[in-house]
Coordinates of all heavy atoms in Angstrom, one line a residue:
M1 N 130.7 -53.5 -119.8 CA 129.4 -53.8 -119.0 C 129.5 -53.1 -117.7 O 130.5 -53.2 -117.0 CB 129.2 -55.3 -118.9 CG 128.1 -55.5 -117.9 SD 127.3 -57.1 -117.8 CE 128.5 -58.4 -117.9
A2 N 128.5 -52.3 -117.4 CA 128.4 -51.6 -116.1 C 128.1 -52.6 -115.0 O 127.5 -53.6 -115.2 CB 127.3 -50.5 -116.1
E3 N 128.6 -52.3 -113.8 CA 128.5 -53.2 -112.7 C 127.5 -52.6 -111.7 O 127.3 -51.3 -111.6 CB 129.8 -53.3 -111.9 CG 130.9 -54.0 -112.8 CD 130.7 -55.4 -112.9 OE1 130.3 -56.1 -111.9 OE2 131.0 -56.0 -114.0
L4 N 126.8 -53.4 -111.0 CA 125.9 -53.0 -109.9 C 126.8 -52.5 -108.7 O 127.9 -53.0 -108.5 CB 125.0 -54.1 -109.4 CG 123.9 -54.6 -110.4 CD1 123.2 -55.8 -109.8 CD2 122.9 -53.5 -110.6
D5 N 126.4 -51.5 -108.0 CA 127.1 -50.9 -106.9 C 127.0 -51.9 -105.7 O 125.9 -52.0 -105.2 CB 126.6 -49.5 -106.6 CG 127.5 -48.8 -105.6 OD1 127.7 -49.4 -104.5 OD2 127.8 -47.7 -105.9
D6 N 128.1 -52.5 -105.3 CA 128.1 -53.4 -104.1 C 127.6 -52.8 -102.9 O 127.0 -53.4 -102.0 CB 129.4 -54.0 -103.9 CG 129.8 -55.0 -105.0 OD1 128.9 -55.6 -105.7 OD2 131.0 -55.3 -105.2
I7 N 127.9 -51.5 -102.7 CA 127.4 -50.8 -101.5 C 125.9 -50.6 -101.5 O 125.3 -50.9 -100.5 CB 128.2 -49.5 -101.3 CG1 129.6 -49.7 -101.0 CG2 127.5 -48.6 -100.2 CD1 130.5 -48.5 -101.1
I8 N 125.4 -50.2 -102.6 CA 123.9 -50.0 -102.7 C 123.2 -51.3 -102.8 O 122.0 -51.4 -102.4 CB 123.6 -49.0 -103.8 CG1 124.2 -47.6 -103.5 CG2 122.1 -48.9 -104.1 CD1 124.1 -46.6 -104.6
H9 N 123.8 -52.3 -103.5 CA 123.1 -53.5 -103.8 C 122.5 -54.3 -102.6 O 121.5 -54.9 -102.8 CB 124.0 -54.4 -104.7 CG 123.3 -55.5 -105.3 ND1 122.3 -55.3 -106.3 CD2 123.3 -56.8 -105.1 CE1 121.9 -56.5 -106.7 NE2 122.5 -57.4 -106.0
Q10 N 123.1 -54.1 -101.5 CA 122.6 -54.8 -100.3 C 121.1 -54.4 -100.1 O 120.9 -53.2 -100.1 CB 123.5 -54.5 -99.1 CG 123.3 -55.4 -97.9 CD 122.1 -55.1 -97.1 OE1 121.5 -54.0 -97.1 NE2 121.6 -56.1 -96.3
P11 N 120.2 -55.3 -99.8 CA 118.8 -54.9 -99.8 C 118.4 -53.8 -98.9 O 117.6 -52.9 -99.3 CB 118.1 -56.2 -99.4 CG 119.0 -57.3 -99.9 CD 120.4 -56.7 -99.7
L12 N 118.8 -53.8 -97.6 CA 118.5 -52.7 -96.7 C 119.1 -51.3 -97.2 O 118.4 -50.3 -97.2 CB 118.8 -53.0 -95.3 CG 118.5 -51.9 -94.3 CD1 117.0 -51.5 -94.3 CD2 118.9 -52.3 -92.9
R13 N 120.3 -51.4 -97.6 CA 120.9 -50.1 -98.1 C 120.2 -49.6 -99.4 O 120.1 -48.4 -99.6 CB 122.4 -50.3 -98.3 CG 123.2 -50.5 -97.0 CD 124.7 -50.3 -97.1 NE 125.3 -51.4 -97.9 CZ 125.9 -52.5 -97.4 NH1 125.9 -52.6 -96.1 NH2 126.4 -53.3 -98.2
L14 N 119.8 -50.5 -100.2 CA 119.0 -50.1 -101.4 C 117.7 -49.5 -101.0 O 117.3 -48.4 -101.6 CB 118.7 -51.4 -102.3 CG 117.9 -51.1 -103.6 CD1 118.7 -50.2 -104.5 CD2 117.7 -52.5 -104.3
K15 N 117.0 -50.0 -100.0 CA 115.8 -49.4 -99.5 C 116.1 -48.0 -98.9 O 115.3 -47.0 -99.1 CB 115.1 -50.2 -98.4 CG 114.5 -51.5 -98.9 CD 113.9 -52.3 -97.7 CE 113.3 -53.6 -98.2 NZ 112.8 -54.3 -97.0
I16 N 117.2 -47.9 -98.2 CA 117.6 -46.6 -97.6 C 117.8 -45.6 -98.7 O 117.3 -44.4 -98.6 CB 118.8 -46.7 -96.7 CG1 118.5 -47.6 -95.4 CG2 119.4 -45.4 -96.3 CD1 119.7 -48.0 -94.6
M17 N 118.6 -45.9 -99.7 CA 118.9 -45.0 -100.7 C 117.7 -44.6 -101.5 O 117.5 -43.5 -102.0 CB 120.0 -45.6 -101.6 CG 121.4 -45.6 -101.0 SD 122.0 -44.0 -100.3 CE 122.2 -43.1 -101.8
A18 N 116.8 -45.6 -101.8 CA 115.6 -45.3 -102.5 C 114.7 -44.3 -101.7 O 114.2 -43.3 -102.3 CB 114.8 -46.6 -102.7
A19 N 114.6 -44.5 -100.4 CA 113.8 -43.5 -99.6 C 114.5 -42.2 -99.6 O 113.8 -41.1 -99.8 CB 113.7 -44.1 -98.2
L20 N 115.8 -42.1 -99.5 CA 116.4 -40.8 -99.5 C 116.4 -40.1 -100.8 O 116.3 -38.9 -100.9 CB 117.9 -40.9 -99.0 CG 118.1 -41.4 -97.6 CD1 119.6 -41.6 -97.3 CD2 117.5 -40.5 -96.6
N21 N 116.5 -40.9 -101.9 CA 116.4 -40.3 -103.3 C 115.0 -39.8 -103.6 O 114.9 -39.0 -104.6 CB 116.9 -41.3 -104.3 CG 118.4 -41.2 -104.4 OD1 118.9 -40.4 -105.2 ND2 119.1 -42.0 -103.6
A22 N 114.0 -40.2 -102.9 CA 112.7 -39.8 -103.2 C 112.4 -38.4 -102.6 O 111.4 -37.7 -103.0 CB 111.6 -40.7 -102.6
L23 N 113.4 -37.9 -101.8 CA 113.2 -36.6 -101.2 C 113.8 -35.5 -102.1 O 114.6 -35.8 -103.0 CB 114.0 -36.6 -99.9 CG 113.6 -37.6 -98.8 CD1 114.6 -37.6 -97.7 CD2 112.2 -37.3 -98.4
L24 N 113.5 -34.3 -101.8 CA 114.2 -33.1 -102.5 C 115.7 -33.2 -102.2 O 116.1 -33.7 -101.1 CB 113.6 -31.8 -102.0 CG 112.1 -31.6 -102.3 CD1 111.6 -30.3 -101.6 CD2 111.9 -31.5 -103.8
V25 N 116.4 -32.6 -103.0 CA 117.9 -32.7 -102.9 C 118.4 -32.3 -101.5 O 119.3 -32.9 -101.0 CB 118.6 -31.9 -104.0 CG1 120.1 -31.8 -103.8 CG2 118.3 -32.6 -105.4
S26 N 117.9 -31.2 -101.0 CA 118.4 -30.7 -99.7 C 117.7 -31.3 -98.5 O 118.1 -30.9 -97.4 CB 118.2 -29.2 -99.7 OG 116.8 -28.9 -99.8
A27 N 116.8 -32.3 -98.7 CA 116.1 -32.8 -97.6 C 116.7 -34.1 -97.0 O 117.4 -34.8 -97.7 CB 114.6 -33.1 -98.0
G28 N 116.4 -34.4 -95.8 CA 116.8 -35.6 -95.2 C 115.7 -36.2 -94.4 O 114.6 -35.6 -94.3
L29 N 115.9 -37.4 -93.8 CA 114.9 -38.0 -93.0 C 115.5 -38.3 -91.6 O 116.6 -38.6 -91.4 CB 114.5 -39.4 -93.6 CG 113.5 -39.4 -94.7 CD1 113.3 -40.8 -95.3 CD2 112.2 -38.8 -94.2
E30 N 114.6 -38.1 -90.6 CA 115.0 -38.4 -89.2 C 115.2 -39.9 -89.1 O 114.5 -40.7 -89.8 CB 113.9 -37.9 -88.3 CG 114.3 -37.8 -86.9 CD 114.1 -39.1 -86.1 OE1 113.1 -39.7 -86.4 OE2 114.9 -39.5 -85.3
F31 N 116.2 -40.3 -88.4 CA 116.7 -41.7 -88.3 C 115.5 -42.6 -88.0 O 115.4 -43.7 -88.7 CB 117.7 -41.7 -87.1 CG 118.5 -43.0 -87.0 CD1 119.6 -43.3 -87.8 CD2 118.0 -44.0 -86.1 CE1 120.3 -44.5 -87.7 CE2 118.7 -45.2 -86.0 CZ 119.8 -45.5 -86.8
A32 N 114.7 -42.4 -87.0 CA 113.6 -43.3 -86.6 C 112.6 -43.4 -87.8 O 112.1 -44.5 -88.0 CB 113.0 -42.8 -85.3
R33 N 112.3 -42.3 -88.4 CA 111.4 -42.3 -89.6 C 111.9 -43.2 -90.7 O 111.2 -43.9 -91.3 CB 111.1 -40.9 -90.0 CG 110.2 -40.8 -91.2 CD 108.8 -40.9 -90.9 NE 108.0 -40.6 -92.1 CZ 107.1 -41.5 -92.6 NH1 106.9 -42.6 -92.0 NH2 106.4 -41.2 -93.7
L34 N 113.2 -43.0 -91.0 CA 113.9 -43.8 -92.1 C 113.9 -45.3 -91.7 O 113.6 -46.1 -92.6 CB 115.3 -43.2 -92.3 CG 116.1 -43.9 -93.4 CD1 115.4 -43.8 -94.8 CD2 117.5 -43.3 -93.5
K35 N 114.2 -45.5 -90.5 CA 114.2 -46.9 -90.0 C 112.8 -47.6 -90.2 O 112.6 -48.7 -90.7 CB 114.6 -47.0 -88.6 CG 114.8 -48.5 -88.1 CD 115.4 -48.5 -86.7 CE 114.2 -48.3 -85.8 NZ 114.5 -48.7 -84.4
K36 N 111.7 -46.8 -89.9 CA 110.4 -47.3 -90.0 C 110.0 -47.5 -91.5 O 109.4 -48.5 -91.9 CB 109.4 -46.4 -89.3 CG 108.0 -46.8 -89.3 CD 107.1 -45.9 -88.6 CE 105.6 -46.4 -88.6 NZ 104.7 -45.5 -87.9
L37 N 110.3 -46.5 -92.3 CA 110.0 -46.6 -93.8 C 110.7 -47.8 -94.4 O 110.1 -48.4 -95.3 CB 110.5 -45.3 -94.5 CG 109.7 -44.1 -94.4 CD1 110.4 -42.9 -95.0 CD2 108.3 -44.3 -95.1
T38 N 111.8 -48.1 -94.0 CA 112.5 -49.2 -94.6 C 112.2 -50.6 -94.0 O 112.6 -51.6 -94.5 CB 114.1 -49.0 -94.6 OG1 114.5 -48.9 -93.2 CG2 114.5 -47.8 -95.4
G39 N 111.5 -50.6 -92.9 CA 111.2 -51.8 -92.2 C 112.3 -52.5 -91.5 O 112.3 -53.6 -91.2
A40 N 113.3 -51.7 -91.2 CA 114.5 -52.2 -90.6 C 114.3 -52.4 -89.1 O 113.5 -51.8 -88.5 CB 115.7 -51.2 -90.8
T41 N 115.1 -53.3 -88.6 CA 115.1 -53.5 -87.1 C 116.3 -52.8 -86.5 O 117.2 -52.3 -87.2 CB 115.3 -55.0 -86.8 OG1 116.5 -55.5 -87.4 CG2 114.1 -55.8 -87.4
D42 N 116.3 -52.7 -85.2 CA 117.4 -52.0 -84.5 C 118.8 -52.6 -84.8 O 119.8 -51.9 -84.8 CB 117.1 -51.9 -83.0 CG 116.0 -51.0 -82.7 OD1 115.8 -50.0 -83.4 OD2 115.4 -51.2 -81.6
G43 N 118.8 -53.9 -84.9 CA 120.0 -54.7 -85.0 C 121.2 -54.1 -85.8 O 122.2 -53.8 -85.2
N44 N 121.0 -53.9 -87.0 CA 122.2 -53.4 -87.8 C 121.9 -52.1 -88.7 O 122.6 -51.8 -89.5 CB 122.7 -54.5 -88.7 CG 121.6 -55.0 -89.7 OD1 120.5 -54.5 -89.7 ND2 122.0 -56.0 -90.4
F45 N 120.8 -51.5 -88.4 CA 120.4 -50.3 -89.2 C 121.5 -49.3 -89.2 O 121.9 -48.7 -90.2 CB 119.0 -49.8 -88.7 CG 118.5 -48.7 -89.6 CD1 118.1 -48.9 -90.9 CD2 118.5 -47.4 -89.1 CE1 117.6 -47.9 -91.7 CE2 118.0 -46.3 -89.9 CZ 117.6 -46.6 -91.1
R46 N 122.0 -48.9 -88.0 CA 123.0 -47.9 -87.8 C 124.2 -48.3 -88.6 O 124.9 -47.4 -89.2 CB 123.3 -47.6 -86.4 CG 124.3 -46.4 -86.2 CD 124.4 -45.9 -84.8 NE 123.2 -45.3 -84.2 CZ 122.8 -44.0 -84.4 NH1 123.6 -43.3 -85.2 NH2 121.8 -43.6 -83.9
A47 N 124.6 -49.6 -88.6 CA 125.8 -50.0 -89.3 C 125.6 -49.8 -90.8 O 126.6 -49.4 -91.5 CB 126.1 -51.5 -89.0
H48 N 124.4 -50.0 -91.4 CA 124.2 -49.8 -92.8 C 124.3 -48.3 -93.1 O 124.8 -47.9 -94.1 CB 122.8 -50.3 -93.2 CG 122.8 -51.8 -93.3 ND1 123.5 -52.5 -94.3 CD2 122.3 -52.8 -92.5 CE1 123.4 -53.8 -94.1 NE2 122.6 -54.0 -93.1
I49 N 123.7 -47.4 -92.2 CA 123.8 -46.0 -92.4 C 125.3 -45.6 -92.4 O 125.8 -44.8 -93.3 CB 123.1 -45.2 -91.3 CG1 121.6 -45.5 -91.4 CG2 123.3 -43.7 -91.4 CD1 120.9 -45.0 -92.6
E50 N 126.1 -46.1 -91.5 CA 127.5 -45.8 -91.4 C 128.2 -46.3 -92.7 O 129.1 -45.6 -93.2 CB 128.1 -46.4 -90.2 CG 127.7 -45.8 -88.9 CD 128.2 -46.5 -87.6 OE1 129.0 -47.4 -87.7 OE2 127.7 -46.1 -86.5
T51 N 127.9 -47.4 -93.2 CA 128.5 -47.9 -94.5 C 128.2 -46.9 -95.6 O 129.1 -46.5 -96.4 CB 128.0 -49.3 -94.9 OG1 128.3 -50.2 -93.8 CG2 128.5 -49.8 -96.2
L52 N 127.0 -46.4 -95.7 CA 126.6 -45.5 -96.7 C 127.4 -44.1 -96.5 O 127.8 -43.5 -97.5 CB 125.1 -45.2 -96.8 CG 124.3 -46.4 -97.3 CD1 122.8 -46.2 -97.0 CD2 124.5 -46.6 -98.8
A53 N 127.5 -43.7 -95.3 CA 128.2 -42.5 -95.0 C 129.7 -42.6 -95.3 O 130.3 -41.7 -95.9 CB 128.0 -42.1 -93.5
K54 N 130.3 -43.7 -94.9 CA 131.7 -43.9 -95.2 C 132.0 -43.9 -96.7 O 133.1 -43.5 -97.2 CB 132.2 -45.2 -94.6 CG 132.4 -45.1 -93.1 CD 132.9 -46.4 -92.5 CE 133.0 -46.3 -91.0 NZ 133.3 -47.6 -90.4
A55 N 131.0 -44.4 -97.5 CA 131.2 -44.4 -99.0 C 130.9 -43.0 -99.6 O 131.2 -42.8 -100.8 CB 130.2 -45.4 -99.6
G56 N 130.5 -42.1 -98.7 CA 130.1 -40.8 -99.2 C 128.8 -40.7 -99.9 O 128.5 -39.7 -100.5
Y57 N 127.9 -41.7 -99.7 CA 126.6 -41.7 -100.3 C 125.5 -41.1 -99.4 O 124.5 -40.7 -99.9 CB 126.2 -43.2 -100.6 CG 127.0 -43.8 -101.7 CD1 126.8 -45.2 -101.9 CD2 127.9 -43.2 -102.4 CE1 127.5 -45.8 -102.9 CE2 128.7 -43.8 -103.4 CZ 128.4 -45.1 -103.7 OH 129.1 -45.8 -104.7
A58 N 125.8 -41.0 -98.1 CA 124.8 -40.4 -97.2 C 125.5 -39.5 -96.2 O 126.7 -39.7 -95.9 CB 124.0 -41.5 -96.5
S59 N 124.8 -38.5 -95.8 CA 125.4 -37.6 -94.7 C 124.5 -37.8 -93.5 O 123.3 -38.1 -93.6 CB 125.4 -36.1 -95.1 OG 124.0 -35.7 -95.3
V60 N 125.1 -37.7 -92.3 CA 124.4 -37.9 -91.1 C 124.7 -36.7 -90.2 O 125.8 -36.3 -90.0 CB 124.9 -39.2 -90.3 CG1 124.2 -39.4 -89.0 CG2 124.8 -40.4 -91.2
E61 N 123.6 -36.1 -89.8 CA 123.7 -34.9 -88.9 C 123.0 -35.1 -87.6 O 121.9 -35.6 -87.5 CB 123.1 -33.7 -89.6 CG 123.8 -33.2 -90.8 CD 123.3 -31.9 -91.4 OE1 122.7 -31.2 -90.7 OE2 123.5 -31.7 -92.6
E62 N 123.8 -34.8 -86.5 CA 123.3 -35.0 -85.2 C 122.9 -33.6 -84.7 O 123.7 -32.6 -84.8 CB 124.3 -35.6 -84.3 CG 124.9 -36.9 -84.8 CD 124.2 -38.1 -84.3 OE1 123.5 -38.0 -83.2 OE2 124.3 -39.2 -84.9
A63 N 121.7 -33.4 -84.1 CA 121.3 -32.1 -83.5 C 120.4 -32.4 -82.3 O 120.1 -33.5 -82.1 CB 120.6 -31.3 -84.6
F64 N 120.1 -31.3 -81.7 CA 119.1 -31.4 -80.6 C 117.9 -30.7 -80.9 O 117.9 -29.6 -81.5 CB 119.7 -30.9 -79.3 CG 120.6 -31.8 -78.6 CD1 122.0 -31.8 -78.9 CD2 120.1 -32.7 -77.7 CE1 122.8 -32.7 -78.3 CE2 121.0 -33.6 -77.0 CZ 122.3 -33.6 -77.3
V65 N 116.7 -31.3 -80.7 CA 115.4 -30.6 -80.8 C 114.9 -30.5 -79.4 O 114.5 -31.5 -78.8 CB 114.5 -31.5 -81.8 CG1 113.1 -30.8 -81.8 CG2 115.1 -31.6 -83.1
G66 N 115.0 -29.3 -78.9 CA 114.7 -29.2 -77.5 C 115.8 -29.8 -76.8 O 117.0 -29.5 -77.0
K67 N 115.5 -30.8 -75.9 CA 116.6 -31.5 -75.2 C 116.8 -32.9 -75.7 O 117.6 -33.7 -75.2 CB 116.2 -31.6 -73.7 CG 116.3 -30.2 -73.0 CD 116.0 -30.3 -71.6 CE 116.1 -28.9 -70.9 NZ 116.2 -29.0 -69.5
K68 N 116.1 -33.2 -76.8 CA 116.2 -34.6 -77.4 C 117.2 -34.6 -78.6 O 117.1 -33.7 -79.4 CB 114.8 -35.1 -77.9 CG 113.9 -35.3 -76.7 CD 112.6 -35.9 -77.3 CE 111.6 -36.3 -76.2 NZ 110.4 -37.0 -76.7
P69 N 118.0 -35.6 -78.6 CA 118.9 -35.7 -79.8 C 118.1 -36.2 -81.0 O 117.2 -37.0 -80.9 CB 119.9 -36.8 -79.3 CG 119.3 -37.6 -78.3 CD 118.3 -36.6 -77.6
Q70 N 118.5 -35.7 -82.1 CA 117.8 -36.1 -83.4 C 118.9 -36.3 -84.5 O 119.7 -35.4 -84.7 CB 116.8 -35.0 -83.8 CG 116.1 -35.5 -85.1 CD 115.0 -34.4 -85.5 OE1 115.1 -33.3 -85.1 NE2 114.1 -34.9 -86.3
T71 N 118.9 -37.4 -85.1 CA 119.8 -37.8 -86.2 C 119.0 -37.7 -87.5 O 118.0 -38.3 -87.6 CB 120.4 -39.2 -86.0 OG1 121.0 -39.2 -84.7 CG2 121.4 -39.5 -87.0
T72 N 119.6 -37.0 -88.4 CA 119.0 -36.8 -89.8 C 119.9 -37.4 -90.8 O 121.1 -37.1 -90.8 CB 118.7 -35.4 -90.1 OG1 117.8 -34.8 -89.1 CG2 118.0 -35.2 -91.4
V73 N 119.4 -38.2 -91.7 CA 120.2 -38.8 -92.8 C 119.7 -38.3 -94.1 O 118.5 -38.1 -94.3 CB 120.0 -40.3 -92.7 CG1 120.9 -41.0 -93.8 CG2 120.3 -40.9 -91.4
A74 N 120.7 -37.9 -95.0 CA 120.3 -37.4 -96.3 C 121.3 -38.0 -97.3 O 122.4 -38.4 -97.0 CB 120.5 -35.9 -96.3
A75 N 120.8 -38.1 -98.6 CA 121.6 -38.6 -99.7 C 122.5 -37.5 -100.1 O 122.1 -36.3 -100.2 CB 120.8 -39.1 -100.8
T76 N 123.8 -37.8 -100.4 CA 124.7 -36.8 -100.9 C 124.6 -36.8 -102.4 O 124.0 -37.6 -103.0 CB 126.2 -37.1 -100.5 OG1 126.5 -38.4 -101.1 CG2 126.4 -37.2 -99.0
A77 N 125.2 -35.8 -103.0 CA 125.3 -35.7 -104.5 C 125.9 -37.0 -105.1 O 125.4 -37.6 -106.0 CB 126.0 -34.5 -105.0
A78 N 127.0 -37.5 -104.4 CA 127.6 -38.7 -104.9 C 126.7 -39.9 -104.7 O 126.7 -40.8 -105.5 CB 128.9 -38.9 -104.1
G79 N 126.0 -39.9 -103.6 CA 125.0 -41.0 -103.3 C 123.9 -41.0 -104.3 O 123.5 -42.1 -104.8
R80 N 123.4 -39.8 -104.7 CA 122.3 -39.7 -105.7 C 122.8 -40.2 -107.1 O 122.1 -40.9 -107.8 CB 121.8 -38.3 -105.8 CG 120.9 -37.9 -104.6 CD 120.4 -36.5 -104.7 NE 119.6 -36.2 -103.5 CZ 118.3 -36.5 -103.4 NH1 117.7 -37.1 -104.3 NH2 117.7 -36.2 -102.3
G81 N 124.0 -39.9 -107.4 CA 124.6 -40.3 -108.7 C 124.8 -41.8 -108.7 O 124.5 -42.5 -109.7
A82 N 125.4 -42.4 -107.6 CA 125.6 -43.8 -107.5 C 124.3 -44.5 -107.6 O 124.1 -45.6 -108.2 CB 126.3 -44.1 -106.2
F83 N 123.2 -44.0 -106.9 CA 121.9 -44.7 -106.9 C 121.3 -44.6 -108.3 O 120.8 -45.6 -108.8 CB 121.0 -44.0 -106.0 CG 119.6 -44.6 -105.9 CD1 119.4 -45.8 -105.2 CD2 118.5 -44.0 -106.5 CE1 118.2 -46.4 -105.2 CE2 117.3 -44.6 -106.5 CZ 117.1 -45.8 -105.8
A84 N 121.5 -43.5 -109.0 CA 121.0 -43.4 -110.4 C 121.7 -44.4 -111.3 O 121.0 -45.1 -112.1 CB 121.1 -42.0 -110.9
R85 N 123.0 -44.5 -111.2 CA 123.7 -45.5 -112.0 C 123.3 -46.9 -111.7 O 123.2 -47.8 -112.5 CB 125.2 -45.3 -111.8 CG 125.8 -44.1 -112.5 CD 127.3 -44.0 -112.4 NE 127.8 -44.0 -111.0 CZ 127.9 -42.8 -110.3 NH1 127.5 -41.7 -110.8 NH2 128.4 -42.9 -109.1
H86 N 123.1 -47.2 -110.4 CA 122.7 -48.5 -109.9 C 121.3 -48.9 -110.5 O 121.1 -50.0 -111.0 CB 122.7 -48.6 -108.4 CG 122.4 -50.0 -107.9 ND1 123.3 -50.9 -107.7 CD2 121.2 -50.5 -107.4 CE1 122.8 -52.0 -107.2 NE2 121.5 -51.8 -107.1
V87 N 120.4 -48.0 -110.5 CA 119.1 -48.2 -111.0 C 119.1 -48.4 -112.5 O 118.5 -49.3 -113.1 CB 118.1 -47.0 -110.7 CG1 116.8 -47.1 -111.4 CG2 117.8 -47.0 -109.2
A88 N 119.9 -47.6 -113.2 CA 120.1 -47.7 -114.7 C 120.7 -49.1 -115.0 O 120.2 -49.7 -116.0 CB 121.0 -46.6 -115.2
T89 N 121.7 -49.5 -114.3 CA 122.3 -50.8 -114.6 C 121.3 -51.9 -114.3 O 121.2 -52.9 -115.1 CB 123.5 -51.0 -113.7 OG1 124.5 -50.0 -114.0 CG2 124.2 -52.4 -113.9
S90 N 120.5 -51.8 -113.2 CA 119.5 -52.8 -112.9 C 118.5 -52.9 -114.1 O 118.0 -54.0 -114.5 CB 118.8 -52.4 -111.6 OG 119.6 -52.5 -110.5
Q91 N 118.1 -51.7 -114.6 CA 117.1 -51.7 -115.7 C 117.7 -52.3 -116.9 O 116.9 -53.0 -117.7 CB 116.6 -50.2 -115.9 CG 115.8 -49.7 -114.8 CD 115.5 -48.2 -115.0 OE1 116.2 -47.5 -115.6 NE2 114.3 -47.8 -114.4
E92 N 118.9 -52.1 -117.2 CA 119.6 -52.7 -118.4 C 119.6 -54.2 -118.2 O 119.4 -55.0 -119.2 CB 121.0 -52.2 -118.5 CG 121.1 -50.8 -119.0 CD 122.5 -50.3 -119.1 OE1 123.5 -51.1 -118.9 OE2 122.7 -49.1 -119.4
I93 N 119.9 -54.7 -117.0 CA 119.9 -56.2 -116.8 C 118.5 -56.7 -117.0 O 118.3 -57.8 -117.6 CB 120.4 -56.5 -115.4 CG1 121.9 -56.1 -115.3 CG2 120.2 -57.9 -115.0 CD1 122.5 -56.1 -113.9
I94 N 117.5 -56.1 -116.4 CA 116.1 -56.5 -116.6 C 115.7 -56.6 -118.0 O 115.0 -57.5 -118.5 CB 115.2 -55.6 -115.7 CG1 115.4 -55.9 -114.2 CG2 113.7 -55.9 -116.1 CD1 114.8 -54.9 -113.3
A95 N 116.1 -55.6 -118.8 CA 115.7 -55.5 -120.2 C 116.6 -56.4 -121.1 O 116.3 -56.5 -122.3 CB 115.9 -54.0 -120.7
G96 N 117.5 -57.1 -120.5 CA 118.3 -58.1 -121.2 C 119.5 -57.4 -122.0 O 120.0 -58.1 -122.9
K97 N 119.8 -56.2 -121.7 CA 120.9 -55.5 -122.4 C 122.3 -55.9 -121.9 O 123.2 -55.5 -122.6 CB 120.7 -54.0 -122.4 CG 119.4 -53.5 -123.1 CD 119.2 -52.1 -123.0 CE 117.9 -51.7 -123.7 NZ 117.7 -50.2 -123.6
Q98 N 122.3 -56.5 -120.8 CA 123.6 -56.9 -120.2 C 123.5 -58.4 -120.0 O 122.6 -58.9 -119.3 CB 123.9 -56.2 -118.9 CG 124.2 -54.8 -119.1 CD 124.9 -54.2 -117.9 OE1 125.4 -54.9 -117.0 NE2 124.8 -52.9 -117.7
V99 N 124.4 -59.1 -120.6 CA 124.5 -60.6 -120.3 C 125.9 -61.0 -120.1 O 126.8 -60.3 -120.4 CB 123.9 -61.4 -121.5 CG1 122.4 -61.3 -121.5 CG2 124.4 -60.9 -122.8

């Protein structure tokens, strides 16, 4: 029986990965935009991004746009694969194929 991914399963991280997986493979989202899309608060959003990055599921790039810092988050190939497996396992559970 396949297992749900504990890293992705947390609700906010699941939202983050869903948002990132909706993008083209080479695309990322600016930190503030991703935070807004997921409905996250300032409190622990960065910690969840760091958890995904440490697991190799997301990449974080820091750059400057003009004189302003900009952080972009993108799903990695490993993250996309883990998300696809997590979704497939969730669908199996919903369909009653795993008990």
Side-chain angles (χ1 to χ4, degrees):
M1 167 160 45
E3 298 283 326
L4 291 171
D5 188 308
D6 288 338
I7 293 169
I8 294 175
H9 192 66
Q10 194 284 338
L12 180 54
R13 290 193 294 263
L14 181 60
K15 288 180 185 179
I16 292 167
M17 290 303 295
L20 295 176
N21 274 274
L23 303 172
L24 296 174
V25 172
S26 61
L29 279 173
E30 196 272 321
F31 189 86
R33 175 83 174 120
L34 182 57
K35 188 174 84 165
K36 184 177 180 180
L37 278 174
T38 59
T41 60
D42 287 333
N44 59 2
F45 185 69
R46 187 168 291 277
H48 285 290
I49 296 294
E50 288 175 9
T51 298
L52 291 168
K54 285 180 185 174
Y57 292 175
S59 64
V60 179
E61 291 187 24
E62 309 264 342
F64 281 89
V65 176
K67 293 186 178 190
K68 292 185 177 185
Q70 183 177 20
T71 302
T72 302
V73 183
T76 63
R80 287 179 180 278
F83 182 76
R85 288 187 298 278
H86 186 82
V87 169
T89 301
S90 297
Q91 290 172 333
E92 289 177 6
I93 292 168
I94 291 166
K97 294 181 181 176
Q98 290 195 20
V99 285

